[in-house]
Amino acid sequence: EVQLVESGGGLVQPGGSLRLSCAASGFTFSTYAMSWVRQAPGKGLEWVSGISDSGFSTHYADSVKGRFTISRDNSKNTLYLQMNSLRAEDTAVYYCAKRRCSNGVCSTILRGASEDWGQGTLVTVSS
Amino acid sequence: DIQMTQSPSSVSAFVGDRVTITCRATQDISRWLAWYQQKPGKAPKLLVYSATTLQGGVPSRFSGSGSGTDFTLTISSLQPEDFATYYCQQANSFPVTFGQGTRLEIK
């Protein structure tokens, strides 16, 4: 059974930093692209960042580019999101999500969908 | 960036009704569109990928259609458990983008 468990959320002051983790199990983590998606309170879903299976290729939403860094440690089956220069508008539940393989392609974000999601971790940016 | 616009933003319907949600992209995204269902306090659930393919375990009353810029999600006969918020998502190009969501409420 696929399990994705996010951690690291909490209350942080504007301008502060936080690192989220997503522990993966139940599948061969190193062969799947992964994403972070967030949802502000009462709002819709927003894709934040994605990373290829190897970690070589990373992509970001314009709203977080230059402030957030996605990474992964395939030896630890863990996905990360380093968040710096946090703003009030970054307040949200952050989900990690695993790509669904299509035609044997699992390694990249594009031309795919997210079939497994974690339960989310809440990040609150406030003074 | 590709913008995804869903309509309607909210809809009320009876159990047993047929409901259609549309999603329009500002550029051609071929068939790289997915639909998700989300219930309050829960993570999204993948319903449809590649515009028309039903994810395993999803009831056959759900169906997706479209290609290019115009897509639809249809629920043929609403069940009580279908009342939720639905999102489309394009994965044709970065940044990946979601529609604003369609809230489906019971009438």
Side-chain angles (χ1 to χ4, degrees):
Chain A
E1 178 193 3
V2 171
Q3 283 204 320
L4 299 169
V5 180
E6 301 96 337
S7 60
L11 176 64
V12 61
Q13 292 189 338
S17 297
L18 214 54
R19 188 176 85 156
L20 305 183
S21 300
C22 171
S25 61
F27 64 103
T28 306
F29 179 72
S30 61
T31 63
Y32 285 82
M34 301 289 294
S35 294
W36 287 99
V37 175
R38 70 184 179 183
Q39 187 168 36
K43 303 297 185 182
L45 301 173
E46 180 186 16
W47 181 83
V48 173
S49 182
I51 187 168
S52 63
D53 58 344
S54 64
F56 182 78
S57 181
T58 59
H59 300 271
Y60 300 91
D62 294 342
S63 58
V64 306
K65 200 172 294 183
R67 300 187 300 122
F68 290 11
T69 302
I70 191 172
S71 63
R72 63 193 298 161
D73 185 336
N74 286 343
S75 68
K76 295 182 178 179
N77 292 344
T78 304
L79 176 72
Y80 301 101
L81 186 68
Q82 177 67 42
M83 304 185 296
N84 298 331
S85 303
L86 282 161
R87 306 166 180 168
E89 54 265 36
D90 296 317
T91 294
V93 174
Y94 285 73
Y95 297 101
C96 66
K98 165 185 161 286
R99 190 208 200 276
R100 185 193 179 284
C101 288
S102 294
N103 297 321
V105 177
C106 317
S107 58
T108 60
I109 293 295
L110 291 184
R111 299 176 182 82
S114 294
E115 68 175 344
D116 295 289
W117 298 67
Q119 83 290 348
T121 187
L122 176 62
V123 172
T124 303
V125 184
S126 175
S127 54
Chain B
D1 298 3
I2 298 175
Q3 308 302 319
M4 307 300 292
T5 303
Q6 290 180 228
S7 60
S9 294
S10 64
V11 58
S12 297
F14 291 104
V15 171
D17 281 354
R18 179 185 182 92
V19 170
T20 297
I21 299 168
T22 66
C23 181
R24 176 165 288 176
T26 53
Q27 300 176 33
D28 186 340
I29 60 169
S30 184
R31 59 188 176 90
W32 304 116
L33 183 103
W35 289 97
Y36 300 87
Q37 175 194 68
Q38 188 181 34
K39 295 181 179 180
K42 300 294 187 182
K45 173 187 175 182
L46 177 63
L47 298 176
V48 172
Y49 61 93
S50 298
T52 61
T53 307
L54 213 59
Q55 171 73 344
V58 174
S60 59
R61 61 181 180 273
F62 290 91
S63 63
S65 65
S67 66
T69 60
D70 293 312
F71 302 86
T72 61
L73 174 71
T74 300
I75 310 171
S76 60
S77 178
L78 277 171
Q79 298 302 300
E81 61 267 30
D82 300 337
F83 291 93
T85 301
Y86 294 84
Y87 296 92
C88 62
Q89 178 207 46
Q90 70 81 19
N92 181 71
S93 63
F94 289 115
V96 171
T97 46
F98 286 90
Q100 82 279 13
T102 295
R103 185 175 179 179
L104 177 52
E105 299 175 317
I106 191 165
K107 187 179 283 186

